[in-house]
Amino acid sequence: MVNPDHYTYRVSFSPEDHEHVATVAELPSLSWLAGSPQDALSGLTALVHEVVADMEQSGESVPEPLADREYSGRFQVRVLPELHRALVIRAHEQNVSLNRLVSDRLASA
C-alpha cells in the first residue's frame, strides 16, 4: 500500500493563471490551482489521496514514491566524443577523476 504523503510535491506561482499551482512528480497529470500556496498543496494532497485509493481499489498500478525508492548512486550518460575528451582533459588538469569532475559539476548545477 502506497503512502501518498511520501510523494514529491511542488508548489509554484503560475503567471498565466495568476494562482499558485501544486504538482506531484509521481502523478504528473494531476495539479491543483489555488490563491495561496497552502491551499494549492492542501487541495492537491486531498486529490492525490482520493486518486491513489481509487487506483488501489481498481487494482491499478500505483506509482511508488520517489522518496521510498533505493538509489545506487550510479547512472550512465552518453556524450559527444569531443565533450568526453574535453572533460577528461579538464579532470586531468585538476588532478581529479573524470567521475569526480562530473559529479562535482552536477552537484553545483
Side-chain angles (χ1 to χ4, degrees), residues 39-59:
D39 289 344
L41 183 57
S42 286
L44 181 61
T45 302
L47 176 63
V48 168
H49 277 265
E50 290 176 21
V51 168
V52 167
D54 286 346
M55 291 175 78
E56 288 176 341
Q57 265 185 344
S58 66

Side-chain angles (χ1 to χ4, degrees), residues 42-96:
S42 286
L44 181 61
T45 302
L47 176 63
V48 168
H49 277 265
E50 290 176 21
V51 168
V52 167
D54 286 346
M55 291 175 78
E56 288 176 341
Q57 265 185 344
S58 66
E60 291 181 60
S61 175
V62 180
E64 179 184 9
L66 296 172
D68 293 347
R69 295 181 188 175
E70 299 226 359
Y71 297 91
S72 68
R74 296 179 60 143
F75 66 96
Q76 292 183 343
V77 179
R78 296 193 185 276
V79 297
L80 294 173
E82 296 81 15
L83 177 57
H84 190 175
R85 179 183 304 108
L87 290 169
V88 167
I89 291 169
R90 193 157 298 135
H92 183 74
E93 290 171 344
Q94 294 180 18
N95 199 30
V96 296

